[in-house]
Amino acid sequence: MAYADQDGMGTNRLVSVVIVLLLHAFLGYALVTGLAYDAVIAIKEKMTVVDVKEEEPPEEEEEPPPEPEKQIEPPVVSPPPMVVTVAPPPTIRTVDTPPPAAPIVPTAAPPPPPPAGPTAEAKPRGNPGNWANTNDYPSRALQQEREGTTGFRVTIGTDGKVIDCSVTQSSGHDDLDAATCKNVKRRARFTPAVRNGEPVQGSYSNRVRWQIPK
């Protein structure tokens, strides 16, 4: 009996302790919360808002500009006067030097002139009319009854023979001209030309008339 009462008392006591602890905790919370709030309100009311303006730094006084240095002007010195010297032109002396004398070259005396002798032109030997005759007439020219006169010029050697023959006047027919020189060169003979007694080459000119005999 007594043991049972002790258990009931222990339980109630435990409940009471828990309740007390909870109450203390609630009160502590309320106290802390309320006091903190009241303290904040009280501090807020007591605080005065003061606008603190930042003081602008004092303006720095501008230093006066340094005085410009005085430039010392150099003294004006006039240049020395220019002295222009004119040199006299050089004297040119000309010396006339005679040209060197040409060397004297001995010249041989000219040969003595040959003794004067007879001078003569070439002359035909015999009758020039016999140098070309009717028998020499070209056959075709004879058949065609062509006629004409051929002038010629011959060169004569120192032996009197004809060296060359050329036509100086054409008859108008080549076969008649060719027959002229052909026969003259074959038949003509001359006495050669002479100069100072010596035979030299000469020339002779004449004509051959080609005419068909009637």
Side-chain angles (χ1 to χ4, degrees), residues 110-124:
T119 299
E121 299 295 333
K123 294 179 180 181

Side-chain angles (χ1 to χ4, degrees), residues 137-209:
Y137 217 107
S139 59
R140 178 169 295 184
L142 189 59
Q143 293 173 3
Q144 296 176 358
E145 298 182 354
R146 290 186 281 107
E147 298 179 343
T149 300
T150 301
F152 66 92
R153 179 184 180 88
V154 292
T155 302
I156 305 160
T158 56
D159 57 356
K161 295 181 179 181
V162 176
I163 299 174
D164 188 24
C165 176
S166 61
V167 176
T168 58
Q169 177 184 351
S170 175
S171 63
H173 306 286
D174 293 339
D175 52 356
L176 296 180
D177 295 340
T180 299
C181 278
K182 177 182 177 182
N183 290 283
V184 169
K185 289 176 67 176
R186 184 177 61 175
R187 298 191 179 111
R189 294 293 182 268
F190 293 85
T191 300
V194 177
R195 295 288 182 273
N196 297 324
E198 297 294 332
V200 294
Q201 287 187 359
S203 61
Y204 174 82
S205 299
N206 205 336
R207 293 182 301 172
V208 173
R209 182 178 180 183

Side-chain angles (χ1 to χ4, degrees), residues 48-55:
T48 57
V49 180
V50 179
D51 294 334
V52 179
K53 295 183 179 180
E54 294 182 359
E55 294 182 0

Side-chain angles (χ1 to χ4, degrees), residues 23-97:
L23 181 62
H24 279 80
F26 176 75
L27 290 175
Y29 176 76
L31 180 61
V32 172
T33 306
L35 289 175
Y37 178 75
D38 292 339
V40 171
I41 296 301
I43 292 170
K44 186 177 181 181
E45 289 178 355
K46 289 180 181 182
M47 289 177 65
T48 57
V49 180
V50 179
D51 294 334
V52 179
K53 295 183 179 180
E54 294 182 359
E55 294 182 0
E56 297 180 358
E59 296 183 357
E60 295 181 359
E61 294 182 359
E62 296 181 358
E63 296 181 0
E67 294 182 359
E69 296 181 0
K70 293 182 179 180
Q71 297 181 354
I72 301 174
E73 296 182 357
V76 179
V77 179
S78 59
M82 294 179 63
V83 178
V84 180
T85 59
V86 180
T91 303
I92 300 175
R93 295 180 179 179
T94 59
V95 179
D96 295 334
T97 57

